[in-house]
């Protein structure tokens, strides 16, 4: 009997696509469950893979955390970039309305990672925090913020983002839908009329 040996090879892009699938699933799970809750096994299972394959793609869980948080920012950037066509000077208003909406409040798994994870990221290892800090500083929404100069737009971005993330975090703690909406509407209206 002759044994035929077949060497199955994946195309070169397969490893990168698999890695991206793991990162996307981790980004969603982290926003839904927090930084410490989903383990490597849970993320790999959600990606349709076994735990044994993790180290073929990542050196450590911290590397996955940093990549997943960066992916979460990219995901939210894409969501906000899909805003309706409005004049450039009004884009920030649509950003505020979408961010402080009941839909965003009810779906942290697909929303902004700042509102979902900021306190936990602040306690993460320095390498993770540095990566996230870099992503926040490079955020493209700064250019659409109100202000006469780049420095003023950056200042307003941090004021607006901080207020929105705080409001969203508080609203997510509340159990009554009317209370949630009151918090979101209060901050939304304040921001829209303050700049």
């Amino acid at each position: 009997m002759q044994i035929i040996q077949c060497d199955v090879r994946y195309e070169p892009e397969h490893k990168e696509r698999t890695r991206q699938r793991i990162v996307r699933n981790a980004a969603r799970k982290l926003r839904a469950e927090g930084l410490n809750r989903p383990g490597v096994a849970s993320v790999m299972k959600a990606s349709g893979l076994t735990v044994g394959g993790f180290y073929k793609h990542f050196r450590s869980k911290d590397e996955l955390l940093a990549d997943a948080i960066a992916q979460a920012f990219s995901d939210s950037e894409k969501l906000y970039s899909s805003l309706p066509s409005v004049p450039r000077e009004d884009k920030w208003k649509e950003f505020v309305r979408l961010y402080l909406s009941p839909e965003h409040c009810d779906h942290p798994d697909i929303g902004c990672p700042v509102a979902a994870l900021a306190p936990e990221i602040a306690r993460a290892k320095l390498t993770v925090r540095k990566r996230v800090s870099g992503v926040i500083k490079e955020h493209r929404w700064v250019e659409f913020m109100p202000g006469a100069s780049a420095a003023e737009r950056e200042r307003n971005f941090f004021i607006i983002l901080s207020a929105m993330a705080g409001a969203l975090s508080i609203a997510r703690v509340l159990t009554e839908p009317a209370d949630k909406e009151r918090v979101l509407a209060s901050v939304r209206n304040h921001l829209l009329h303050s700049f």
Side-chain angles (χ1 to χ4, degrees), residues 38-193:
V40 169
S42 170
V43 170
M44 295 301 281
K45 183 177 180 181
S47 303
L49 301 165
T50 62
V51 176
F54 177 79
Y55 290 102
K56 292 178 184 175
H57 300 282
F58 304 95
R59 290 184 297 263
S60 67
K61 184 176 179 184
D62 287 336
E63 181 183 354
L64 173 60
L65 284 177
D67 287 355
I69 294 167
Q71 179 66 48
F73 275 101
S74 177
D75 292 346
S76 64
E77 180 87 21
K78 287 176 193 165
L79 176 67
Y80 300 128
S81 295
S82 68
L83 291 173
S85 294
V86 294
R88 186 180 187 286
E89 64 274 5
D90 291 334
K91 276 198 181 240
W92 74 273
K93 293 176 184 177
E94 291 300 318
F95 173 58
V96 168
R97 288 181 185 108
L98 181 60
Y99 197 104
L100 293 174
S101 68
E103 295 78 22
H104 188 203
C105 185
D106 292 341
H107 298 284
D109 60 321
I110 58 173
C112 176
V114 173
L117 299 170
E120 292 179 81
I121 293 170
R123 293 183 199 99
K125 289 185 178 178
L126 183 60
T127 54
V128 174
R129 291 194 333 261
K130 280 184 176 182
R131 176 96 182 269
V132 172
S133 178
V135 170
I136 290 173
K137 287 177 184 176
E138 295 169 3
H139 206 285
R140 286 185 37 235
W141 275 99
V142 171
E143 66 189 73
F144 297 110
M145 289 293 123
S149 67
E152 189 177 350
R153 285 189 294 278
E154 181 180 59
R155 179 184 61 94
N156 290 341
F157 169 73
F158 284 116
I159 291 168
I160 291 168
L161 178 62
S162 298
M164 291 190 310
L168 200 59
S169 297
I170 291 168
R172 285 177 176 162
V173 170
L174 301 174
T175 57
E176 294 298 321
D179 294 337
K180 290 180 181 199
E181 177 53 33
R182 196 165 30 261
V183 169
L184 297 174
S186 296
V187 176
R188 184 175 57 236
N189 292 337
H190 177 76
L191 291 173
L192 292 175
H193 294 100

